[in-house]
Amino acid sequence: MRTVPLLVVAFLVLSNFAGAAAGRAESLPPERVGRVSRVDGAVGLRAAGGAWSDALLNHPVGTGMSVRTLAAAGAELRIGGDGFALSAATELDLAAVDDRIIQIALRQGRIGIGVARLAAGESVEIDLPQGGVWLL
């Protein structure tokens, strides 16, 4: 008769550990992040679903974030060894930044891309309003 309550306690303890492990897995940091490496003028940064704020040098950037430059501004993002220079009046969204892909949705403006090297299976994707560019 004592076995049944003991089994129930064991089940509750184990399910508690499983729930805690799942919670930790959801709060893991992103696989890969970049940073704002140059700020010239008024440059804004927005986390997914957040409000625009001033971009600061070395501020981390990653999946779901947006960056914009105003009319007389410029900025550069570094993600690993790759650089993305934003000209004036540019807005982009970082749709995906991980170990395999960098996906940027360019809403308006111009960017310069400097890719040091892509390993097998890595790509850089630039989505444009009327198409896209894939660097493989």
Side-chain angles (χ1 to χ4, degrees):
M1 292 231 199
R2 276 186 150 285
T3 2
V4 174
L6 189 58
L7 286 174
V8 171
V9 170
F11 173 76
L12 291 174
V13 168
L14 289 176
S15 64
N16 210 7
F17 283 126
R24 281 193 308 272
E26 290 175 6
S27 65
L28 289 176
E31 292 180 31
R32 187 173 181 194
V33 295
R35 67 181 180 92
V36 177
S37 60
R38 181 176 58 88
V39 175
D40 293 326
V43 178
L45 191 63
R46 178 178 66 189
W52 287 100
S53 63
D54 291 338
L56 302 173
L57 196 60
N58 291 322
H59 193 284
V61 294
T63 298
M65 298 185 82
S66 300
V67 183
R68 71 177 176 193
T69 58
L70 296 184
E76 182 176 17
L77 307 177
R78 300 292 299 177
I79 301 172
D82 305 328
F84 302 90
L86 286 71
S87 64
T90 296
E91 184 176 339
L92 62 81
D93 299 325
L94 295 168
V97 178
D98 63 33
D99 290 337
R100 297 178 302 106
I101 187 170
I102 298 172
Q103 181 181 12
I104 296 173
L106 183 63
R107 296 195 173 279
Q108 68 178 26
R110 295 181 311 162
I111 61 172
I113 303 167
V115 176
R117 189 182 128 223
L118 290 174
E122 290 183 335
S123 67
V124 175
E125 179 180 334
I126 310 298
D127 298 326
L128 307 166
Q130 308 235 342
V133 176
W134 290 263
L135 306 176
L136 306 171

